């Protein structure tokens, strides 16, 4: 840049972690603009230069943080992209997804696979209070962050040979594990779903009474 040699080194564990550190190595102070992408999924990114917080609102331009300054040797830019676990809902016109929810963390959309559950996936329900924790598993699927939480599973107890009943099925607590959608179908054959049913209030009340 401007006839000067420069090296930019990026260190990050993205997309599992939202911390991105960029070190600038340049022969002598040089003025130029460094643009960092601010992904649309991230609500509250934070930026600091050499440990000092920077007001992103003043730098954001077209989805990028545009940092224009005289860069010095070993300047460090730190971008923090918070990755809360979020629920996504489809447009009401998407009939197959009505009453269902998908899980996302950072840029990764998640799914359920039969390999992680001992009940059919279509019987798993989430309530509005169901919370999930993110956990990195280096041994699974080449190393991925899992989402683990508690849901409910519809029980077939008492149905015997019945196909229909005037009494709704009960639901029992179950552990729910979600893996990154891109990594599905790399273990045993089985069901997969991105969209998970949310538990209606009537069933929630039935579940509490039955417990």
């Amino acid at each position: 840049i401007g006839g000067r040699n420069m090296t930019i080194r990026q260190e990050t564990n993205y997309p599992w972690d939202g911390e991105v550190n960029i070190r600038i190595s340049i022969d002598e102070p040089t003025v130029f603009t460094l643009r960092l992408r601010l992904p649309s999924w991230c609500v509250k990114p934070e930026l600091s230069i050499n440990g000092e917080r920077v007001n992103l609102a003043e730098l954001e331009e077209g989805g990028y943080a545009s940092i224009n300054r005289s860069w010095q040797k070993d300047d460090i830019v730190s971008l923090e992209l918070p990755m809360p676990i979020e629920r996504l809902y489809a447009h009401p016109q998407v009939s197959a997804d009505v009453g269902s929810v998908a899980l996302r963390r950072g840029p990764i959309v998640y799914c359920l696979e039969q390999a992680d559950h001992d009940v059919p996936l279509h019987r798993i329900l989430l309530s509005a209070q169901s919370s999930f924790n993110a956990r990195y598993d280096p041994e699974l699927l080449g190393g991925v962050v899992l989402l683990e939480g508690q849901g409910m599973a519809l029980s077939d107890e008492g149905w015997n040979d019945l196909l229909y009943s005037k009494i709704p099925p009960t639901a029992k607590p179950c552990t729910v594990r979600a893996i990154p959608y891109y990594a599905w179908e790399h273990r045993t054959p089985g069901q997969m779903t991105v969209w998970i049913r949310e538990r209606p209030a009537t069933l929630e009340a039935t579940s509490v009474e039955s417990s």
Side-chain angles (χ1 to χ4, degrees):
I1 292 183
R4 299 178 178 87
N5 293 325
M6 180 179 66
T7 299
I8 295 181
R9 180 180 179 84
Q10 177 178 272
E11 295 180 354
T12 183
N13 196 31
Y14 186 89
W16 311 127
D17 188 291
E19 183 178 353
V20 182
N21 293 307
I22 298 174
R23 182 183 295 272
I24 309 271
S25 295
I26 195 165
D27 293 342
E28 56 184 278
T30 304
V31 176
F32 64 89
T33 300
L34 177 67
R35 290 184 172 87
L36 303 180
R37 178 66 177 160
L38 302 176
S40 59
W41 57 260
C42 187
V43 178
K44 295 182 179 180
E46 296 181 354
L47 180 71
S48 62
I49 300 176
N50 299 326
E52 295 186 11
R53 183 68 57 83
V54 176
N55 186 353
L56 265 178
E58 299 176 353
L59 302 176
E60 187 171 358
E61 178 184 345
Y64 287 81
S66 298
I67 313 168
N68 181 270
R69 56 177 275 147
S70 176
W71 296 93
Q72 314 289 322
K73 182 179 179 181
D74 292 332
D75 276 345
I76 297 179
V77 179
S78 297
L79 179 64
E80 183 66 35
L81 304 173
M83 293 184 176
I85 300 170
E86 300 173 310
R87 297 189 181 205
L88 300 180
Y89 297 89
H91 191 285
Q93 281 293 90
V94 184
S95 59
D97 298 333
V98 170
S100 298
V101 63
L103 300 175
R104 179 179 70 180
R105 179 179 180 269
I108 304 294
V109 173
Y110 281 74
C111 70
L112 306 187
E113 270 203 304
Q114 193 63 66
D116 297 311
H117 303 88
D118 57 8
V119 296
L121 300 185
H122 68 270
R123 283 162 52 178
I124 294 177
L125 309 170
L126 298 181
S127 72
Q129 289 74 37
S130 297
S131 61
F132 283 82
N133 295 312
R135 177 175 67 85
Y136 182 72
D137 187 337
E139 303 299 326
L140 182 64
L141 299 166
V144 297
V145 167
L146 306 173
L147 306 185
E148 295 177 319
Q150 288 294 308
M152 302 292 289
L154 293 177
S155 173
D156 58 6
E157 291 182 5
W159 283 74
N160 300 322
D161 295 328
L162 294 175
L163 183 58
Y164 304 102
S165 173
K166 295 179 181 179
I167 302 174
T170 57
K172 296 183 177 181
C174 71
T175 298
V176 179
R177 171 186 281 188
I179 66 167
Y181 171 70
Y182 77 82
W184 74 282
E185 194 66 357
H186 286 280
R187 294 178 288 176
T188 58
Q191 291 182 319
M192 182 279 292
T193 185
V194 171
W195 295 96
I196 313 164
R197 298 185 184 187
E198 280 198 316
R199 186 173 63 189
T202 53
L203 180 59
E204 197 163 324
T206 303
S207 302
V208 171
E209 291 173 3
S210 62
S211 62

